[in-house]
Amino acid sequence: MKAKRTYLSVAAATTVGLAVASCGSSGEDGPTALDPDADLSKQSIVVSNYESYMPEDLPARFSAASGAQVEVAYHASNEEIVAKATAGDSGIDVAFINGVYAQALAAQGLLEPIDPRLVPNLANLYPEANTLPYDPGNKISVPYAWGTTGLCYRSDLTGYDPDSWLDLLEPRPEISGKTTMVSTERWLLLPALKSLGFSNSTQDEDELNQAKEVLLRTKPTLLAYDDATFFQRLVSGEASLVQAYDGWCNYGITDNPDIKYVVPKEGTDLWVDVMVIMKTSENKEAAHAFINYVLDPEIHSWVTENILYKSPNKAAMDMISPELIEQYPNIGTTVEELFEQEPLVDVGDAGPLYTRIALEVSAAD
Amino acid sequence: MRPTPLVFKVITVAAFIFLYLPIITLIVMSFNGGRNPYVMEGVSLQWYRELVTDGELIAALEQTLIVATVSSLIAVVVGTALAVGLARTTRSRSLEIVSVVPAVIPDVVQGIGLAAMFTLLAVPLGLTTVIAGHTVFATAFVVSAVRARLATSDPSLEEASRDLGAGTFTTYLRITTPIMAPAIVAGGLLAFTLSLDEYVIASFTSGSTSATLPILVYSRVRFNLTPEINALGTLLIVVSLVALVIGARWIGRRGKVSA
Amino acid sequence: MPAQKAHWQSRSRRRARAGLLGPGLLLMAVLSIAPLVLVIAYAFMTRGRFGGVVPGFSLDSWARVLEPIYLGVLWNSIVVATITTLLALAIGFPVAFVISRLPPQWRMVALVAVVLPFWTNFLIRTYAWVVLLNDVGPMNKGLAELGVISEPLGLLYSEPAVIIGLLYSYLPLMILPIYASLSSSEREIAEAASDLGARPWRVFRDVYIPLSVPGIILGGIFVFVPSIGNFVIPDLMGGGKSVLLGNVIRDQYLTARDWPFGSVLILVMLAILVALFAAQAVASRRLTGKLTR
Amino acid sequence: MTQIPEDHVLEPTTLTASAGAGDDSGSAVEGGLLEVRGVRRAFGAVVALDDVNLTIRDNEFFALLGPSGCGKTTLLRAIAGFEVIDSGEILLGGEDLHSSPPERRPVNLMFQSYALFPHMTVAKNIAYGLERERRPRAEVAERVATVMAAMQISELAKRRPSQLSGGQQQRVALARAIVKRPRLLLLDEPLSALDRQVRLEMRVELKRLQHEFGITFVMVTHDQEEALSMADRVAVMAAGRVQQLDTPVGLYRNPANLFVAGFVGASNLLVGVVRANTFDSEHFGSLPLPSNPKGVARGHLVLRPEDVRIVAPGEGHVQAVVSDVQFHGAATTVLATSSVPGAPMLVAMVTGLAQVTPGDRVGLHWDTGLVVEDALA
């Protein structure tokens, strides 16, 4: 997952918490009447994604195939898209965003419901990908990539193979000062909650406070909090062990085969990044066409080979070469294995508490 | 005169090392043969090659140049008029303060204020809003530069012009402005440079497709570290240096002539 | 005198005033004052359900400022900005002093040399420090090879690293005003003082320091204000382990989307700023009084 | 900006209404090019011009003389259009200037600082005013060349002001104003920035140019010698009022009050009271009353040094001892002190050599003198 952030979060989930708690159903405004036969060559869309989270020439290929014009914008965090969308017309047509944040936008009526008639390639998805808790039935979003959060490490530097969140939270002396954690609050709290045996989406204040104590004890042993460049730190040898999203660990593996990924034995999360269409989009046919294009098995497998993240597209994953899975073992994770992990769900009214704990940890001496 | 204390000389030398050490590091690392931005692995020009073929970066540079050029041009025109107006047509101290507030207010406040206002008025964020944000502080800098110069210029020059038959605006155009030229150029250059470098206000006011160079650099530094950034930094240093030398020469020459 | 005839000056001055001041003041009003007023107004409103603000008077956000976590961040920011300012003074004063005593042609070169790093991109300049101070970067490597250190210094991603970054970015803003106050014609006063038999340290205490006080105060403000509002340097050099006021403000707007609270924090920062400028005005008035008396 | 013909600029005024009102310095109708009537200007509590009246005639060289702060510069600037007047009228050729901005007044000012445009060459500076009139290029070039030749600055045409000496700058400033052929040329302390030698040359030069171009000159100066030697008529100003307006000889021989007597030329000033036909001096007792045209009762007796003669001790009106003798070539000044405590030193000027030396006892005699009142106008 690409939870790219500009800075450690202070209150990221507050918005989500309120939004999800207040509104279970989406799309009250009803879908706009769409014309399946619209002339796409007269349409142009802006697609906002994280940097290098899709093949560079994907937009151009889509243009060539459909005739629609595509402009690419970049955002650094889920919160940035939420902020832009709630501020008014962002000019964005299609956005790539975490499923939980997509649900928050939908609750505010900011998303256009997905019209399945215009996305026939939805049929390519794993059946399980239709059951995800943030958007059962994929009514307002279409899954793009999914995966887990775990430990990414340089086996040659650690000298052993870690298998527990405690290897990160209470590092051995030889790797102390050479570990990093993610600072986005839900994922900052994840290792502590899991190591204590709690749910990754707990709303219990006492459990959260226990997790905070763990994180405060861990802070002095960290090199830094890092949401984005941890794999580069492993490659350079600056860090030995980092908390990482599986696909991003693969970037490190590309540069150094000694880098390995492991899901800690205490368990972790299942996250999903999705594509959504903004209500303000003026070219919704082209937006749908773009999403449908991505779901094409050839394209989506090409995407996975390019970004090294698993896709929820069965047809696409079936086309992935065994060599790639050998090089990046976590791409071979089966759907069953993935669903052994606890999918992230919204934390409702506990959102501000997560926010506060994240600030207290980051501001602590 | 008493000699300068030795400890002062030592501190000064240390300070210059402090100022230039990172820049020298940057320049050396830009010729890195490897892809690790921290560790030197052989010497090559590969990152400069990447730089010139990096479409995204070139697009961001274009946006930045547009923002800096438009905002500093507006600032030069509006700011010069404002400075002259403040000096010659009013004695209001509060108007003077209003005119330089954007130069002293923290950028995060300016950026947030603009973002909040654009949101409230449903103005779509984009290149125009970035230009608007930059024009404000650029104008404030031009005003201060021109004001400083006006304070030391002889007001009878303008009276002489009117006396010889020029109207108010002809006088500002043909006499005041040329005399102020070094200050206007200095203020404009300052505004231009600050705009090229400005990240905070731009980050709050830019739309989804209007990333300026600092925004791109920030996201690269945060997410996609490669020695390409070192190469870019080196090029920017060279360009700044050349601009500085040319600018200083020009101002020096003009300054002498109109002194 | 015929009363109905307006003097030309009133007409023409009005026209000139409108033409000259109009565009600039309009610009300032719309793009500087209005946003500021809006931010101030937001501080007294209610947080919107999905972020932003909704009309309705509320002082809730003000109570939050007093919570220990925010007071802690505020205090930490003041400490970091103060240390940065004091270090800038400790380095800036000697540098300004040495430059002011160089032969005139070298003075200009030295000043340009001070400003030059300032004219390079702020982010890249800061990033250069990340490269330099990195545990596997050239400084640690070099020192280790020289045998000075056996372990990396671990300087990066810490509060000291943030202070180094701030100091680096704003040092020229301390040197220039002090240089300006030292290089003004009052230099002869110092020579007069030594001529009258004052010993070097006394010349310093009685002459140079008082003379440079306006520059020191101005430089202090120039360093302190951007330091306390900065969030980029803590981001890049603090490794997320150090939080300054600027970070919290930015996050209130961009991620937490609690605009009223963000506005309250902005007002706290502006209050510090206004207090500093007021102190500067008082100090410089007292000082000029002393010098002219 | 389009140039509006002069006759449209100056609004006609009702001459009859104000003709001759409180003006003792000349008739408004005959020969009055510029009329200043009842002009008042105050800056807060400070009154710079207080009911100023004067008439400047066509083609004369007029001087406004007074110490700094007397209002002369304010008056000059009001005529040029740079100062608003609170009340009163300034008429040029019978037309009220009040609503004309400086650029539309057929009046030019030569600034004390010269105010040469630093970014233009000498030729450009001089051409500036003509270009503003939208004159044909050929005419501008011809007139600039002519005036530069007249001012003997033709070789400076390509230079910039910063490359000129003070005297050269002054000539350029003058040329720049004259080339416009104004009806009135105002000169603000024209010679004050010059060295003594250049200043003496320029005095002659200015008079020559005034004749040559036939322009009315109004000069402001604090230097009485300059005013007396150059001007046809001089208005002496103090405290915002015209104390006296007269020819240089008139001012010198018939000062209107103590201020004028003291400011214009050197004089012996003896304080005292007028009796039936004597002047009772405070220090020298009863003296003959020479002339008292204004019927002053209490004031000062003005004795010009050249009117005081040195006579044998015991003779003359006052007895004194020579304290100093200063030889000037054509004349000699003798300073004499009387034994009366607190009495002023007396000054006599004799042509050629004086036959006395310091320490000599002498008598001082005079036949002419004038009693003036102390109060300002």
Side-chain angles (χ1 to χ4, degrees), chain A residues 98-118:
Chain A
N98 183 272
V100 177
Y101 290 81
Q103 196 177 3
L105 289 178
Q108 295 172 62
L110 296 171
L111 297 186
E112 175 71 15
I114 301 295
D115 185 340
R117 289 178 305 149
L118 295 181

Side-chain angles (χ1 to χ4, degrees), chain C residues 1-2 5-9 11-12, chain D residues 81 84 96 98-102:
Chain C
M1 161 184 156
K5 264 188 281 175
H7 188 269
W8 67 270
Q9 268 196 349
R11 254 185 304 129
S12 133
Chain D
V84 189
D96 191 351
H98 185 73
S99 35
S100 312

Side-chain angles (χ1 to χ4, degrees), chain B residues 98-112:
Chain B
V98 161
S99 311
V100 294
V101 155
V104 291
I105 212 155
D107 44 10
V108 65
V109 178
Q110 182 77 47
I112 285 174

Side-chain angles (χ1 to χ4, degrees), chain A residues 152 230-231 234-235 244-257 259-261 304 306-310 324-325 327-333:
Chain A
C152 187
F230 41 74
F231 68 92
L234 285 179
V235 171
Y245 309 114
D246 45 8
W248 251 352
C249 190
N250 290 340
Y251 292 0
I253 294 171
T254 308
D255 280 349
N256 187 335
I259 292 175
K260 289 180 175 142
Y261 178 80
T304 292
N306 197 291
I307 67 172
L308 302 179
Y309 276 84
K310 289 178 284 294
L324 193 76
I325 294 173
Q327 192 184 356
Y328 305 103
N330 73 54
I331 292 181
T333 314

Side-chain angles (χ1 to χ4, degrees), chain B residues 77-100:
Chain B
V77 175
V78 174
T80 303
L82 188 53
V84 171
L86 285 172
R88 301 285 189 253
T89 68
T90 175
R91 288 196 183 83
S92 166
R93 182 95 183 94
S94 47
L95 287 186
E96 225 169 276
I97 292 172
V98 161
S99 311
V100 294

